[in-house]
Amino acid sequence: DQFSTLFEFIQLANLEASIATVGPITFFAPTNAAWDALDPALLSSLKLPVYRKELLQVLSRHVVWDEIHISQEWMVGDTFHVLFEGEALTVTDVNPTVLNG
């Protein structure tokens, strides 16, 4: 499964119930390939209970407080507020699979 690392982190952070009950939201789901591009030591650290806060911050940066559809026309510069307080994702490319925050 291309999202198994994400699902593992959601479970470690105890976010399943929260994600299911809030809304509308959009979760920009990083694939295993995206996680694998990170330093392996960082990935291992995020699995430890002592780094639960950091794991929650990483995951919450992928949740937008809105229902966003891939069919929407996005423009470079469009922003979406993320779950993590005071931060936003900004569209930097009109390719429908690319958002950078």
Side-chain angles (χ1 to χ4, degrees):
D1 177 357
Q2 66 176 331
F3 298 105
S4 60
T5 302
L6 173 65
F7 293 140
E8 177 185 4
F9 283 149
I10 288 172
Q11 289 174 340
L12 286 171
N14 296 318
L15 285 179
E16 302 101 329
S18 297
I19 290 172
T21 59
V22 297
I25 65 168
T26 299
F27 200 113
F28 290 94
T31 63
N32 290 350
W35 293 108
D36 291 343
L38 299 175
D39 180 345
L42 173 62
L43 287 179
S44 294
S45 295
L46 288 173
K47 294 178 183 182
L48 301 173
V50 70
Y51 291 109
R52 196 60 24 100
K53 179 180 174 184
E54 289 79 1
L55 176 58
L56 284 167
Q57 289 174 346
V58 169
L59 293 173
S60 66
R61 286 184 171 99
H62 290 83
V63 179
V64 173
W65 286 112
D66 201 358
E67 187 173 326
I68 299 172
H69 298 275
I70 198 71
S71 62
Q72 283 180 247
E73 284 202 27
W74 299 339
M75 297 183 63
V76 171
D78 285 349
T79 59
F80 304 96
H81 296 284
V82 296
L83 184 62
F84 193 70
E85 293 288 325
E87 296 203 14
L89 290 174
T90 302
V91 177
T92 59
D93 188 329
V94 291
N95 174 343
T97 61
V98 178
L99 286 178
N100 293 315

